[in-house]
């Protein structure tokens, strides 16, 4: 079978770029460290993706950390200082734009479906800016407009910590995603402003009450860029059947997260996770929401992924496993690329 072009709904490569030099990595050169660089993306036929910018603490939080026997970290992460977050986001934006400039046309920043298609036609790697956690956005939302002008087209309201807009889930298993209150008033204004601008809202890392607030307020399809099914793996990071049904009913998309501790029924942080476990998750999601609403959201450079995939170079092994499980070529193309482009067209104002 021919390989298929893949668009990935979530990776953390930009966040890691500040560490690339110390790790001996350059995104334009092949490395065995981490999951993603341009050569390995080419090997796996990954043609582009949503690249997350995100702030993180200057030092480890002081509150106690509990490591469970399946590898989960259980705590609420501390809130971040907005000024600190904004400095980090500015640095990450500079890093990705410098990288695109150094690529000599091999990488292109895309802010519309037409620009993604143009990059694909030119065999250039399409980078769409996503924000994971809105800590850097001020309460009057003016920085959101600045980010939009930089090309931001997707926004996760929270990571797994509280901010002025809402509450993320702590990492826990087994546990419900109903872990706290819903969106704040500022969070509700942020949802409406994203709708107005045409920024896709990502419900990944958001607690269940926040999810239902987004569902009640948003005029766009519901999207989780990197999540799995709670019915299979009862992790706080995963979506209940009722949440999956809401995504289906708004014609949204779930990007399948390759984090093994959210794929496995036992929640273990074990990269010796067979591809049939991954495919079983895909089958469950497709049965629940339909083949038009399931895609890939790898979480490369941000999670422990199955050894058989290893990194971006191994993505075609997942595609082949889907074929062996009975997915036809149209199904595979929808999962690999078309479903993301469809939901972008439904959401982005300039697409």
């Amino acid at each position: 079978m021919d390989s298929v072009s893949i668009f990935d709904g979530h990776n953390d490569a930009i966040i890691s770029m500040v560490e690339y030099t110390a790790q001996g990595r350059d995104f334009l050169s092949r490395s065995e460290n981490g999951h993603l660089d341009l050569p390995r993306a080419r090997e796996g036929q990954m043609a582009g993706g949503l690249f997350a910018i995100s702030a993180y603490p200057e030092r480890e939080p002081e509150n106690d950390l509990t490591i469970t026997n399946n590898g989960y970290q259980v705590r609420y992460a501390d809130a971040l200082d907005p000024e600190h977050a904004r400095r980090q986001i500015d640095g990450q934006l500079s890093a990705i734009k410098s990288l695109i400039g150094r690529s000599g046309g091999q990488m292109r920043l895309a802010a519309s479906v037409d620009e993604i298609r143009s990059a694909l036609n030119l065999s250039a790697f399409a980078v769409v800016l996503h924000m994971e956690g809105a800590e850097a956005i001020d309460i009057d939302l003016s920085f959101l407009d600045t980010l939009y002008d930089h090309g931001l087209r997707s926004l996760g309201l929270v990571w797994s910590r509280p901010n002025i807009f809402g509450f993320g889930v702590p990492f826990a298993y087994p546990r419900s995603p109903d872990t706290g209150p819903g969106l704040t008033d500022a969070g509700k204004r942020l949802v409406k402003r994203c709708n107005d601008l045409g920024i896709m809202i990502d419900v990944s890392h958001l607690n269940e009450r926040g999810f239902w607030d987004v569902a009640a307020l948003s005029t766009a399809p519901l999207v989780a860029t990197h999540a799995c099914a709670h019915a299979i793996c009862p992790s706080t990071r995963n979506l209940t059947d009722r949440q999956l049904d809401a995504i289906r009913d708004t014609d949204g998309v779930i990007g399948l997260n390759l984090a093994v501790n959210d794929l496995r029924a036992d929640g273990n942080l074990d990269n010796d996770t067979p591809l049939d476990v991954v495919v079983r998750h895909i089958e469950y999601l497709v049965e629940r929401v339909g083949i038009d609403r399931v895609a890939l959201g790898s979480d490369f450079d941000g999670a422990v992924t199955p050894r058989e995939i290893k990194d971006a170079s191994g993505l075609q092994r997942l595609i082949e496993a889907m074929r062996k499980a009975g997915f036809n070529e149209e199904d595979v193309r929808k999962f690999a690329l078309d479903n993301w482009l469809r939901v972008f067209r439904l959401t982005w104002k300039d697409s």
Side-chain angles (χ1 to χ4, degrees):
M1 293 285 186
D2 293 335
S3 58
V4 295
S5 293
I6 296 171
F7 189 93
D8 181 26
H10 185 91
N11 73 74
D12 288 333
I14 297 178
I15 304 167
S16 303
M17 280 180 187
V18 294
E19 303 168 4
Y20 274 18
T21 302
Q23 296 173 356
R25 295 176 67 181
D26 179 345
F27 193 86
L28 301 179
S29 301
R30 198 184 196 287
S31 172
E32 291 301 320
N33 295 326
H35 295 125
L36 181 59
D37 50 50
L38 187 59
R40 284 183 288 178
R42 299 286 197 204
E43 291 171 27
Q45 296 298 304
M46 180 177 165
L50 291 176
F51 276 64
I53 53 177
S54 182
Y56 46 88
E58 294 179 275
R59 62 188 65 85
E60 283 298 312
E62 295 180 0
N63 53 324
D64 291 338
L65 169 65
T66 299
I67 303 292
T68 65
N69 60 7
N70 62 9
Y72 258 92
Q73 298 181 7
V74 181
R75 71 176 170 203
Y76 275 102
D78 292 339
L80 298 182
D81 174 70
E83 290 297 326
H84 163 72
R86 202 164 298 128
R87 286 193 299 270
Q88 289 190 324
I89 295 302
D90 286 341
Q92 290 167 23
L93 288 172
S94 296
I96 189 62
K97 291 189 176 183
S98 173
L99 174 63
I100 290 170
R102 287 197 297 115
S103 76
Q106 296 181 79
M107 300 174 67
R108 292 189 169 213
L109 190 65
S112 69
V113 173
D114 288 345
E115 288 179 352
I116 295 174
R117 287 286 189 194
S118 176
L120 295 178
N121 291 338
L122 294 169
S123 298
F125 188 82
V127 174
V128 177
L129 289 180
H130 165 76
M131 175 176 271
E132 185 173 33
E135 283 86 357
I137 296 174
D138 43 330
I139 199 164
D140 69 3
L141 309 183
S142 60
F143 193 55
L144 180 67
D145 293 77
T146 300
L147 291 168
Y148 182 85
D149 291 340
H150 279 290
L152 186 78
R153 291 298 179 270
S154 178
L155 172 71
L157 306 178
V158 297
W159 185 72
S160 288
R161 61 168 59 92
N163 62 31
I164 63 172
F165 304 109
F167 299 84
V169 290
F171 293 97
Y173 170 101
R175 190 171 175 183
S176 163
D178 186 11
T179 60
L183 298 184
T184 65
D185 289 342
K188 294 173 182 178
R189 292 195 301 272
L190 179 57
V191 168
K192 292 177 180 177
R193 183 60 182 153
C194 285
N195 285 166
D196 291 342
L197 289 170
I199 294 174
M200 189 175 77
I201 299 166
D202 177 17
V203 298
S204 303
H205 287 279
L206 186 62
N207 68 7
E208 188 172 3
R209 295 187 198 184
F211 174 98
W212 292 116
D213 283 342
V214 173
L217 289 165
S218 180
T219 58
L222 292 171
V223 173
T225 63
H226 56 307
C228 296
H230 194 272
I232 294 179
C233 175
S235 151
T236 50
R237 276 281 288 112
N238 286 341
L239 299 167
T240 67
D241 283 350
R242 187 166 166 248
Q243 289 174 299
L244 293 175
D245 292 348
I247 291 174
R248 176 199 63 207
D249 293 345
T250 63
D251 208 10
V253 164
I254 303 104
L256 179 83
N257 190 355
L258 294 182
V260 294
N261 47 315
D262 288 330
L263 286 166
R264 300 172 60 99
D266 60 11
N268 284 343
L269 195 67
D270 182 357
N271 70 350
D272 189 19
T273 297
L275 284 181
D276 62 5
V277 171
V278 185
V279 173
R280 179 189 171 210
H281 231 109
I282 296 171
E283 290 173 332
Y284 184 88
L285 292 172
V286 168
E287 181 179 350
R288 194 80 198 187
V289 304
I291 188 60
D292 293 327
R293 300 174 191 91
V294 184
L296 177 69
S298 71
D299 209 5
F300 281 153
D301 279 331
V304 176
T305 61
R307 183 182 298 155
E308 287 185 70
I309 297 174
K310 185 183 177 184
D311 54 33
S313 68
L315 283 173
Q316 294 300 317
R317 289 193 281 274
L318 174 58
I319 297 300
E320 187 56 33
M322 290 178 65
R323 288 174 173 139
K324 288 180 179 178
F327 288 94
N328 63 37
E329 289 307 298
E330 182 181 7
D331 294 341
V332 164
R333 286 195 303 273
K334 286 180 176 181
F335 174 85
L337 174 66
D338 293 348
N339 289 345
W340 280 125
L341 299 188
R342 179 189 62 77
V343 82
F344 294 160
R345 284 202 182 277
L346 290 174
T347 305
W348 295 347
K349 296 295 187 184
D350 50 3
S351 293

